[in-house]
Amino acid sequence: GNSVTQMEGPVTLSEEAFLTINCTYTATGYPSLFWYVQYPGEGLQLLLKATKADDKGSNKGFEATYRKETTSFHLEKGSVQVSDSAVYFCALSDNAGNNRKLIWGLGTSLAVNP
Amino acid sequence: SAVISQKPSRDICQRGTSLTIQCQVDSQVTMMFWYRQQPGQSLTLIATANQGSEATYESGFVIDKFPISRPNLTFSTLTVSNMSPEDSSIYLCSVGGGLNQPQHFGDGTRLSIL
């Protein structure tokens, strides 16, 4: 079945450091891929998405490229800020039939220190 | 994207009681989803609620414990019945999830059972 494997946290960085959070997936067909962010005490917000191979999603300085050959969708940011401290979730939608369930990674907690 | 309002935002309840969580969307949507997020964990789908039909529950979740209503295309409720401390979680509703489309979430209901 479909699955998402996310790099375990917590990740602790200093402000302006480079961030990578790894996400790999197993899926049949052509899934869509998403990164969501959950700030402390809040719900989930869509951060970025990619719907086909080689697509690059980007938002708020974050980027992720849909790599079909390595079944990966790693999240990157060149210079993190304290305000980026949150939990990040990778997810996929298999786009099969009418069932649009999302398959979720376990989440990666990021703490950015000033 | 749709604006999703959840009520209550948080509650503290006594064991053995029930709580109904409301989810209101500012536009008509076909599919609504209810999730549970236990402390420090990822999201687990409880059920999918389509207007005009019975909710579809995921493995491990039953209607007697988590009855769902979906009276129209902008509203749904989830009831957590006969609560125990193990039900202490964040409960989230989401909408969307069409082909290549993400789901969008409310801010969640933070539920603690004493």
Side-chain angles (χ1 to χ4, degrees):
Chain A
N2 297 340
S3 67
V4 173
T5 302
Q6 233 182 289
M7 153 183 180
E8 285 191 29
V11 174
T12 303
L13 296 173
S14 298
E15 209 165 20
E16 300 184 1
F18 184 87
L19 169 71
T20 300
I21 300 178
N22 290 340
C23 173
T24 57
Y25 67 90
T26 303
T28 56
Y30 304 95
S32 296
L33 300 171
F34 308 97
W35 277 101
Y36 285 84
V37 58
Q38 186 175 33
Y39 297 103
E42 299 185 13
L44 273 78
Q45 300 175 25
L46 177 68
L47 183 58
L48 53 84
K49 71 173 185 178
T51 59
K52 62 183 188 298
D54 300 325
D55 265 2
K56 178 186 282 188
S58 61
N59 186 25
K60 299 181 181 181
F62 291 89
E63 293 182 340
T65 301
Y66 188 147
R67 301 281 189 204
K68 195 165 177 65
E69 64 276 13
T70 54
T71 62
S72 65
F73 192 55
H74 304 322
L75 183 68
E76 296 182 337
K77 186 174 185 182
S79 176
V80 294
Q81 305 300 311
V82 172
S83 57
D84 295 325
S85 298
V87 181
Y88 293 81
F89 293 93
C90 184
L92 75 80
S93 173
D94 65 10
N95 287 326
N98 291 321
N99 187 349
R100 301 282 189 252
K101 290 191 291 187
L102 290 179
I103 308 300
W104 295 88
L106 295 180
T108 302
S109 176
L110 170 66
V112 180
N113 298 320
Chain B
S1 60
V3 176
I4 303 155
S5 302
Q6 261 186 257
K7 290 181 182 179
S9 59
R10 60 180 67 244
D11 209 338
I12 301 172
C13 300
Q14 298 296 319
R15 73 173 68 205
T17 62
S18 299
L19 178 74
T20 295
I21 302 167
Q22 299 179 4
C23 182
Q24 178 76 52
V25 189
D26 69 344
S27 58
Q28 293 184 340
V29 294
T30 303
M31 299 176 76
M32 296 180 76
F33 305 86
W34 286 100
Y35 288 87
R36 181 175 72 184
Q37 185 181 23
Q38 294 178 301
Q41 303 296 315
S42 186
L43 280 73
T44 301
L45 182 64
I46 297 172
T48 303
N50 291 337
Q51 193 269 336
S53 62
E54 295 290 323
T56 302
Y57 288 83
E58 296 299 302
S59 175
F61 297 96
V62 295
I63 187 170
D64 289 347
K65 175 67 175 178
F66 297 100
I68 288 171
S69 77
R70 182 78 202 274
N72 57 52
L73 290 172
T74 63
F75 188 77
S76 178
T77 67
L78 169 76
T79 298
V80 187
S81 303
N82 188 24
M83 290 184 286
S84 66
E86 293 71 34
D87 294 318
S88 296
S89 293
I90 302 172
Y91 292 86
L92 297 133
C93 72
S94 74
V95 304
L99 183 63
N100 292 328
Q101 297 304 310
Q103 291 179 20
H104 297 281
F105 287 80
D107 283 341
T109 296
R110 284 151 181 78
L111 182 57
S112 297
I113 291 88
L114 302 179

